Amino acid sequence: MYSKSDKRLCTIFISLAILFLFALPSAVSGQTLAGATGSSSQWGSGWLDLAPPVDFAKGEHLKLLIGGSADKILVRLLPRGASPDMPVGIIGGAINVPKSRIVEVTIPEDRRQVIQISVHGGPNPWGEHPLGGGNGPATIESAERVRP
Protein backbone atom coordinates (compact mmCIF):
# COMPACT_ATOMS: atom_id res chain seq x y z
CA MET A 1 0.00 0.00 0.00
CA TYR A 2 1.04 3.60 -0.53
CA SER A 3 1.38 6.05 2.30
CA LYS A 4 -0.26 9.48 2.26
CA SER A 5 3.10 11.12 1.56
CA ASP A 6 3.69 8.76 -1.41
CA LYS A 7 0.28 9.68 -2.85
CA ARG A 8 0.97 13.37 -2.29
CA LEU A 9 4.35 13.14 -4.07
CA CYS A 10 2.74 11.28 -6.95
CA THR A 11 0.03 13.96 -7.25
CA ILE A 12 2.65 16.73 -7.23
CA PHE A 13 4.72 14.92 -9.86
CA ILE A 14 1.72 14.39 -12.16
CA SER A 15 0.65 18.02 -11.73
CA LEU A 16 4.13 19.26 -12.62
CA ALA A 17 4.30 16.92 -15.63
CA ILE A 18 0.96 18.23 -16.94
CA LEU A 19 2.04 21.83 -16.38
CA PHE A 20 5.31 21.19 -18.23
CA LEU A 21 3.55 19.54 -21.17
CA PHE A 22 1.16 22.48 -21.57
CA ALA A 23 3.86 25.14 -21.13
CA LEU A 24 6.44 23.54 -23.43
CA PRO A 25 4.79 24.23 -26.81
CA SER A 26 4.32 27.94 -26.08
CA ALA A 27 7.93 28.27 -24.94
CA VAL A 28 9.35 26.50 -27.99
CA SER A 29 7.09 27.60 -30.80
CA GLY A 30 6.54 31.07 -32.09
CA GLN A 31 3.61 33.22 -33.03
CA THR A 32 2.44 33.01 -36.63
CA LEU A 33 2.12 36.49 -38.08
CA ALA A 34 -1.03 36.96 -40.12
CA GLY A 35 -1.75 39.52 -42.77
CA ALA A 36 -2.25 40.09 -46.47
CA THR A 37 0.56 38.82 -48.68
CA GLY A 38 1.63 40.27 -51.97
CA SER A 39 4.46 40.13 -54.45
CA SER A 40 5.96 42.00 -57.36
CA SER A 41 7.63 40.09 -60.16
CA GLN A 42 8.93 43.43 -61.49
CA TRP A 43 10.86 44.11 -58.26
CA GLY A 44 11.51 40.50 -57.21
CA SER A 45 9.97 41.07 -53.79
CA GLY A 46 7.22 39.74 -51.58
CA TRP A 47 5.58 41.11 -48.46
CA LEU A 48 3.24 40.54 -45.57
CA ASP A 49 1.10 43.55 -44.62
CA LEU A 50 0.49 43.63 -40.87
CA ALA A 51 -2.72 45.11 -39.44
CA PRO A 52 -2.61 46.39 -36.80
CA PRO A 53 1.06 47.48 -36.76
CA VAL A 54 3.39 45.30 -34.69
CA ASP A 55 6.15 46.28 -32.25
CA PHE A 56 9.22 44.04 -32.35
CA ALA A 57 11.76 43.99 -29.52
CA LYS A 58 15.52 43.72 -29.77
CA GLY A 59 16.55 40.05 -29.69
CA GLU A 60 13.33 38.62 -31.10
CA HIS A 61 13.61 36.38 -34.14
CA LEU A 62 11.69 36.25 -37.37
CA LYS A 63 11.41 32.86 -38.99
CA LEU A 64 10.46 33.26 -42.64
CA LEU A 65 9.58 30.61 -45.21
CA ILE A 66 10.84 32.05 -48.48
CA GLY A 67 9.18 31.34 -51.80
CA GLY A 68 10.55 32.16 -55.22
CA SER A 69 13.97 31.27 -56.53
CA ALA A 70 16.20 33.87 -54.83
CA ASP A 71 19.53 32.61 -53.51
CA LYS A 72 20.07 35.86 -51.59
CA ILE A 73 17.55 38.23 -50.03
CA LEU A 74 17.18 41.37 -47.98
CA VAL A 75 14.67 41.40 -45.12
CA ARG A 76 12.90 44.60 -44.21
CA LEU A 77 10.57 45.74 -41.43
CA LEU A 78 8.75 48.77 -42.84
CA PRO A 79 7.69 51.25 -40.15
CA ARG A 80 4.43 53.18 -40.27
CA GLY A 81 4.79 56.33 -42.32
CA ALA A 82 7.73 55.09 -44.43
CA SER A 83 7.46 54.56 -48.18
CA PRO A 84 7.83 50.98 -49.46
CA ASP A 85 9.62 52.48 -52.47
CA MET A 86 12.58 53.43 -50.26
CA PRO A 87 15.17 51.05 -48.70
CA VAL A 88 14.03 51.87 -45.14
CA GLY A 89 14.02 49.32 -42.31
CA ILE A 90 16.38 46.72 -43.79
CA ILE A 91 17.74 44.25 -41.23
CA GLY A 92 21.47 43.73 -41.75
CA GLY A 93 22.62 42.95 -45.28
CA ALA A 94 22.25 40.18 -47.82
CA ILE A 95 21.12 36.82 -46.42
CA ASN A 96 21.80 33.51 -48.14
CA VAL A 97 18.63 31.43 -48.53
CA PRO A 98 19.31 27.82 -47.48
CA LYS A 99 17.88 24.77 -49.28
CA SER A 100 15.19 24.51 -46.59
CA ARG A 101 14.03 28.00 -47.70
CA ILE A 102 13.69 28.91 -44.01
CA VAL A 103 15.48 32.11 -43.04
CA GLU A 104 15.75 33.22 -39.43
CA VAL A 105 16.82 36.76 -38.59
CA THR A 106 17.39 38.42 -35.22
CA ILE A 107 15.87 41.84 -34.66
CA PRO A 108 18.92 44.06 -33.89
CA GLU A 109 17.02 46.81 -32.07
CA ASP A 110 13.46 47.68 -31.11
CA ARG A 111 11.34 48.23 -34.21
CA ARG A 112 8.04 49.99 -33.45
CA GLN A 113 4.86 50.27 -35.52
CA VAL A 114 5.93 47.85 -38.25
CA ILE A 115 3.26 47.72 -40.96
CA GLN A 116 4.99 45.34 -43.36
CA ILE A 117 7.58 42.56 -43.44
CA SER A 118 9.15 42.22 -46.87
CA VAL A 119 11.82 40.16 -48.59
CA HIS A 120 13.71 41.41 -51.60
CA GLY A 121 15.45 39.26 -54.19
CA GLY A 122 16.36 40.02 -57.75
CA PRO A 123 19.74 41.26 -58.92
CA ASN A 124 19.88 44.65 -57.15
CA PRO A 125 17.02 45.84 -54.87
CA TRP A 126 16.55 49.65 -55.06
CA GLY A 127 19.70 49.78 -57.20
CA GLU A 128 21.71 49.86 -53.95
CA HIS A 129 22.12 46.23 -52.87
CA PRO A 130 23.75 44.02 -55.53
CA LEU A 131 22.71 40.42 -54.87
CA GLY A 132 23.99 38.92 -58.14
CA GLY A 133 22.87 38.98 -61.75
CA GLY A 134 21.22 35.55 -61.67
CA ASN A 135 19.43 36.07 -58.34
CA GLY A 136 15.73 35.29 -58.63
CA PRO A 137 12.67 36.80 -56.95
CA ALA A 138 11.63 36.22 -53.32
CA THR A 139 8.22 35.93 -51.67
CA ILE A 140 7.02 35.27 -48.12
CA GLU A 141 5.19 31.98 -47.72
CA SER A 142 4.87 32.33 -43.95
CA ALA A 143 6.26 34.42 -41.11
CA GLU A 144 6.68 33.50 -37.47
CA ARG A 145 7.76 35.62 -34.53
CA VAL A 146 9.93 33.79 -32.00
CA ARG A 147 10.58 35.48 -28.69
CA PRO A 148 13.73 34.57 -26.74
Side-chain angles (χ1 to χ4, degrees):
M1 296 307 265
Y2 295 104
S3 69
K4 282 187 174 185
S5 64
D6 288 339
K7 289 180 183 178
R8 189 174 308 148
L9 283 174
C10 187
T11 301
I12 291 170
F13 176 76
I14 290 171
S15 298
L16 287 173
I18 291 170
L19 179 64
F20 176 77
L21 289 175
F22 280 105
L24 182 62
S26 63
V28 172
S29 68
Q31 169 194 8
T32 299
L33 296 168
T37 58
S39 64
S40 168
S41 57
Q42 177 183 0
W43 301 110
S45 63
W47 57 85
L48 175 67
D49 289 327
L50 303 169
V54 175
D55 292 336
F56 291 96
K58 178 181 179 177
E60 286 185 315
H61 301 274
L62 278 179
K63 188 175 181 180
L64 305 171
L65 177 57
I66 306 300
S69 60
D71 294 321
K72 291 183 180 181
I73 62 169
L74 297 175
V75 175
R76 175 177 70 174
L77 299 179
L78 185 68
R80 176 182 281 189
S83 170
D85 296 330
M86 303 299 293
V88 176
I90 295 170
I91 297 175
I95 299 169
N96 292 321
V97 179
K99 289 183 182 185
S100 67
R101 308 298 293 172
I102 296 171
V103 170
E104 191 166 334
V105 295
T106 302
I107 309 298
E109 68 270 330
D110 291 349
R111 300 280 181 111
R112 304 280 183 222
Q113 297 290 297
V114 173
I115 60 168
Q116 184 186 82
I117 299 169
S118 58
V119 293
H120 304 267
N124 192 354
W126 296 285
E128 297 179 9
H129 302 275
L131 299 178
N135 197 47
T139 61
I140 296 178
E141 300 292 322
S142 67
E144 189 175 332
R145 172 191 220 169
V146 181
R147 294 184 171 140

